Amino acid sequence: METTTQASSPTAGYGLRREVLSPMETLAQSVSTIAPTTTPAATIPLVCALAGNGTWLAYVLATAAILLVALCISRFARYSSSPGSLYTYASMILPPSLGATAAWSLLLAYIATGSSVIGGFYHYANLLLHDATGRVASAVFLALLVTAISIAIAWRDVKISARLMLWIEAVSVSLILTVVVLVLVRHGLHLDWTQLRLRGMSGSGLRLGLVLALFSFVGFESATTLGAEARNPLKTIPRAVIQSALLAGAIFILCAYTEVLGLRTVGQDLGASQAPMRVLAGVGGVPVLGLLIDIGVLVSMFAGTLACITAAARVLLLMSHNGIAHGSLRTTHARHETPGRAIVVTGVAAVTPVAVLAARGASGLDVYGWMGSLATYGFIVAYALVCVALPRYLRQHGAYGRGAQIIPSLAFAAMLLALIGNLYPVPEGPYGKLPYIYLAYLCAGLLWFLLQRRKTGAANIQNGA
């Protein structure tokens, strides 16, 4: 691999191609990491199994919590742009150990989200293959295939990958919204009071459903990893962060309401449905769109894999520049101006647990749920640390006001409640092991960080002597 090492400075761009992405291409990074097509097909049914008729409310509350975090992140993004995203924001203000915590948490979050959508990819690929041919392919092969293609595209050109992700999600979401509108038109103008009155919903069900609904949004901030590559980043990136949160929230609330309504119309339970969008397409009178949406979900899983590898590689690149990760990962390709080594490392890290689980017979939806839940721990911790850092950062820039105290406090409280909701009551089965996996990973990352600091400090003392 032909590489060149760049100095760690904003003006150098860390060896990345400077200001090549348009506002829409920058927005595509956040939207693709969210993978909005997958939520109506895979996540909303899981939320409904917990929250029932309160599914729409769970997404309203999740949208409000994410918007509070988005406001905090966008304030940082007005003053600073780099490939490090939330890690950069936290490390500028917080003690070095907390900055490293944000870095390792965010890296795990993007990699584990990539693992999650790789699992979803091989599930939907085999679902479509079985419908078409009556056969299925090796899950391990499909996981390796989608990862290899994503690595190749991410390594080749960030502009190509951004445009590809933009078109994939635009087409897929358009199909889903078409079905949703047709179902609502067939239902008529009257409201579904069974849902709006929250009939049969329990408080604990809503709480657990809310935690799961938050997973639908994770990665909405990933446009911040394109700080060196977006045009006019101090304006483009804050807008992309807010726009992605608002856009995703509106789509998820509308889909949650319509899916519960549509499946109840035909006497089915959304919480137990394996193919809700196919059923919904039938209710809307366009069953062919159900198949097209399943294809769209498959392609969206691919776009999500690409987006997560793209984001994780740039976080790892800056971690390397700052001495938190191995120094060899700071290199970028001389011609493509992409972090080639970091892309390969993050791609391999994302596919390895999926390949192991698939070889052991785990279903794609199980992998989607397990790895997605693991990613949520990383995102929640990174979001919370950014909210803690924001007030002091704004004081330094003379922009501290009443809202600068209230909004970060509310956002931090929302993330703290989400973390508690993930931990208590203790989840059953593999989900109960995930907090320990996250803590073990974080301890290993912080141990590496402390060892690197000790080496650097010893070298500085020796040079001074």
Side-chain angles (χ1 to χ4, degrees), residues 36-45 124 176 259 273-277 293-294 297 301 365:
T37 308
T38 66
T39 287
T43 310
I44 289 178
Y124 275 92
I176 288 176
E259 285 184 52
S273 178
Q274 296 296 313
M277 293 312 301
I293 288 172
D294 280 348
V297 172
M301 295 287 188
L365 289 183

Side-chain angles (χ1 to χ4, degrees), residues 61-72 210 214 380 383-391 400 402-419:
L61 296 175
T63 301
I66 289 298
L67 278 175
L68 288 171
V69 177
L71 289 171
C72 294
L210 171 59
L214 286 172
I380 287 176
Y383 293 162
L385 289 174
V386 168
C387 295
V388 169
L390 179 61
Y400 187 79
R402 185 183 298 272
Q405 181 177 5
I406 295 174
I407 291 177
S409 298
L410 291 174
F412 177 79
M415 293 302 100
L416 182 61
L417 290 173
L419 185 62

Side-chain angles (χ1 to χ4, degrees), residues 143-228:
L144 293 173
L145 178 65
V146 69
T147 306
I149 295 173
S150 298
I151 288 174
I153 295 174
W155 184 35
R156 175 65 180 83
D157 191 343
V158 67
K159 195 170 181 67
I160 292 175
S161 63
R163 286 179 176 176
L164 182 62
M165 291 185 292
L166 177 65
W167 283 107
I168 287 172
E169 292 299 341
V171 172
S172 301
V173 171
S174 296
L175 290 174
I176 288 176
L177 292 179
T178 299
V179 169
V180 166
V181 170
L182 288 174
V183 170
L184 293 176
V185 169
R186 288 205 164 198
H187 181 69
L189 296 177
H190 53 284
L191 298 173
D192 182 11
W193 289 107
T194 302
Q195 284 193 76
L196 296 180
R197 289 171 179 163
L198 306 176
R199 186 170 299 168
M201 183 199 77
S202 67
S204 61
L206 177 63
R207 177 177 59 83
L208 294 174
L210 171 59
V211 171
L212 196 55
L214 286 172
F215 173 61
S216 297
F217 292 87
V218 294
F220 77 94
E221 81 302 325
S222 66
T224 58
T225 63
L226 303 177

Side-chain angles (χ1 to χ4, degrees), residues 103-105 107-109 111 436-446:
W104 287 109
S105 295
L107 182 65
L108 172 71
I111 290 175
Y436 302 103
I437 294 174
Y438 168 70
L439 287 175
Y441 160 87
L442 188 58
C443 288
L446 290 177

Side-chain angles (χ1 to χ4, degrees), residues 272-403:
S273 178
Q274 296 296 313
M277 293 312 301
R278 288 194 183 187
V279 177
L280 209 64
V283 174
V286 284
V288 67
L289 288 187
L291 175 61
L292 293 177
I293 288 172
D294 280 348
I295 296 173
V297 172
L298 173 70
V299 181
S300 181
M301 295 287 188
F302 159 69
T305 304
L306 175 57
C308 289
I309 291 174
T310 298
R314 280 148 182 79
V315 173
L316 188 57
L317 172 77
L318 193 62
M319 289 172 64
S320 176
H321 273 285
N322 292 343
I324 297 180
H326 196 276
S328 64
L329 297 172
R330 73 181 62 183
T331 57
T332 54
H333 195 277
R335 185 172 69 255
H336 303 318
E337 296 178 283
T338 55
R341 290 184 181 177
I343 286 170
V344 172
V345 168
T346 53
V348 171
V351 76
T352 297
V354 182
V356 171
L357 291 170
R360 294 171 63 89
S363 73
L365 289 183
D366 280 341
V367 174
Y368 178 82
W370 297 336
M371 300 307 296
S373 296
L374 179 61
T376 303
Y377 290 108
F379 278 117
I380 287 176
V381 169
Y383 293 162
L385 289 174
V386 168
C387 295
V388 169
L390 179 61
R392 183 178 173 186
Y393 184 79
L394 292 178
R395 284 194 190 98
Q396 292 181 354
H397 286 79
Y400 187 79
R402 185 183 298 272

